[in-house]
């Protein structure tokens, strides 16, 4: 049996074995809290695509600084539309008012509000970064950039999927995807036949319309133990539960919105895997 971890963004330049150790340490803590252990016959695998994603970011030349607006760049134009759509969804979920956005824009006040106005969208993202959770400046901007490249650029998707897919063998495998990794894992599972009794997503952005729309038609790619989605309601990335309103599949996904993710931005993997309920679900996926 195998346990397949699929990591999220911002992992480039790191040691995959060290990262796997961090995930296992957090899972072990959660299992101890639940009075359980990982079965001794489970092989843990950690496909690493962090460096490849960083290379794509460089190749596509999408600026991390939102003040930089390249002229005549079709890729950037597509990204700007995607960014605006996600920002508007986030604004509604966070109950950020037009008045707050106008105050944030300040002297750059647009003549009309709306997601087509770059200054307006920038203001939304700054407010989200600053007020929705204790996240560092630019967190949402970088997340949007990387999710856009994966979900809207086939070359990026194909190469990253291949890195993860090669770890799907004939063995029974429980798959755990975090953040962008949940999007990657979902896309791989829906297109590769595998013995996956349980699919676990944590801190997943799949409920955001602009993201899930590029992955249609939606399916539940998990096996008999189903798909389990856990999130902290303060996590800016996992804005929506994967329920009938946001990710309508049959059989329905089991959602757990009661995770108390103690990490600074409420999104870190350690704050998900050391949750005893999440840890128990992972082990239960092996049917022991």
């Amino acid at each position: 049996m195998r346990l397949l971890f699929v990591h999220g963004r911002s992992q480039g330049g790191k040691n995959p074995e060290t990262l796997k150790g961090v995930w296992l340490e957090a899972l072990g803590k959660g299992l101890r809290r639940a009075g359980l252990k990982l079965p001794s016959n489970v092989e843990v695998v950690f496909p690493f695509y962090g460096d490849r994603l960083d290379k794509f970011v460089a190749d596509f030349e999408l600026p991390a600084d939102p003040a930089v607006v390249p002229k005549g760049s079709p890729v950037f134009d597509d990204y700007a539309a995607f960014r605006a759509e996600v920002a508007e969804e986030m604004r509604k979920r966070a109950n950020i008012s037009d008045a707050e956005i106008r105050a944030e824009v300040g002297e750059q006040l647009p003549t009309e509000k709306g997601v087509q106005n770059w200054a307006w969208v920038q203001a939304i993202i700054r407010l989200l970064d600053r007020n929705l959770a204790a996240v560092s400046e630019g967190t949402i901007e970088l997340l949007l950039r990387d999710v856009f490249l994966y979900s809207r650029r086939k070359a990026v998707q194909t190469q990253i999927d291949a890195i993860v897919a090669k770890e799907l063998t004939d063995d029974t495998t429980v798959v755990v995807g975090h953040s962008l990794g949940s999007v990657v894992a979902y896309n791989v599972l829906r297109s590769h036949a595998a013995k996956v009794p349980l699919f676990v997503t944590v801190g997943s952005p799949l409920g955001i319309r602009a993201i899930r729309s590029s992955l249609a038609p939606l399916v539940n790619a998990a096996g008999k133990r189903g798909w389990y989605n856990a999130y902290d309601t303060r996590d800016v990335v996992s804005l929506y539960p994967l329920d009938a309103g946001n990710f309508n599949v049959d059989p329905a996904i089991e959602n757990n919105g009661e995770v108390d993710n103690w990490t600074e931005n409420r999104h870190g993997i350690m704050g998900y895997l050391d949750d005893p309920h999440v840890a128990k679900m992972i082990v239960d996926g092996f049917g022991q």
Side-chain angles (χ1 to χ4, degrees):
M1 297 188 294
R2 308 180 101 210
L3 175 58
L4 175 62
F5 289 143
V6 187
H7 67 80
R9 63 159 309 277
S10 192
Q11 303 302 303
K14 298 181 181 178
N15 185 310
E17 287 301 313
T18 300
L19 291 173
K20 182 171 75 170
V22 170
W23 284 52
L24 279 174
E25 180 182 357
L27 177 60
K29 186 175 180 180
L31 289 173
R32 288 191 294 275
R33 288 174 170 173
L36 298 169
K37 291 183 179 180
L38 190 67
S40 59
N41 60 337
V42 171
E43 177 189 10
V44 180
V45 289
F46 193 90
F48 181 69
Y49 63 85
D51 292 341
R52 186 69 57 86
L53 179 59
D54 280 0
K55 185 177 185 305
F56 277 122
V57 169
D59 290 345
F60 279 94
E61 299 182 332
L62 287 179
D65 183 354
V68 177
V69 182
K71 301 296 184 182
S73 170
V75 175
F76 184 82
D77 291 345
D78 288 348
Y79 170 57
F82 172 84
R83 179 179 182 267
E85 187 177 349
V86 177
E88 180 63 10
E89 286 191 67
M90 288 181 166
R91 179 193 72 79
K92 291 177 180 178
R93 183 70 171 181
N95 294 316
I96 294 174
S97 68
D98 289 354
E100 290 176 283
I101 300 171
R102 290 185 183 281
E104 178 67 24
V105 174
E107 294 181 358
Q108 302 178 60
L109 187 67
T111 55
E112 294 183 2
K113 71 174 185 178
V115 295
Q116 289 75 30
N117 188 292
W118 187 252
W120 185 269
V121 176
Q122 278 185 262
I124 293 173
I125 292 176
R126 286 198 303 271
L127 285 168
L128 289 165
D129 251 339
R130 188 166 65 244
N131 299 330
L132 191 56
V135 294
S136 59
E137 184 176 356
T139 295
I140 296 171
E141 188 72 50
L142 296 176
L143 171 75
L144 294 182
R145 184 192 64 186
D146 292 356
V147 173
F148 164 78
L149 285 176
Y150 175 79
S151 64
R152 301 297 177 93
R153 288 297 177 267
K154 192 65 177 178
V156 179
Q157 189 176 108
T158 298
Q159 291 194 35
I160 290 177
D161 283 0
I163 293 171
V164 175
K166 73 178 182 181
E167 296 295 350
L168 287 175
T169 66
D170 292 333
D171 298 312
T172 298
T173 304
V174 170
V175 177
V176 180
H178 172 237
S179 192
L180 172 61
S182 70
V183 182
V184 175
Y186 167 73
N187 200 45
V188 169
L189 289 180
R190 71 182 187 139
S191 57
H192 292 77
K195 297 177 182 177
V196 178
L198 176 69
F199 178 33
V200 176
T201 51
V202 293
S204 176
L206 279 167
I208 298 175
R209 182 178 60 252
I211 295 172
R212 71 173 184 264
S213 65
S214 63
L215 301 170
L218 304 180
V219 298
N220 188 330
K224 61 182 179 180
R225 292 182 179 272
W227 181 341
Y228 172 80
N229 178 61
Y231 61 100
D232 186 318
T233 56
R234 301 162 297 179
D235 181 350
V236 68
V237 176
S238 55
L239 283 171
Y240 302 102
L242 303 185
D243 57 13
N246 301 302
F247 208 94
N248 190 17
V249 294
D250 184 22
I253 300 165
E254 178 180 353
N255 284 276
N256 172 16
E258 298 183 356
V259 175
D260 181 11
N261 190 318
W262 53 267
T263 61
E264 182 181 7
N265 60 5
R266 312 297 182 183
H267 182 65
I269 186 60
M270 294 182 70
Y272 280 118
L273 291 182
D274 69 4
D275 179 273
H277 194 272
V278 173
K280 182 180 185 302
M281 286 296 299
I282 292 172
V283 167
D284 285 351
F286 294 107
Q288 296 188 355

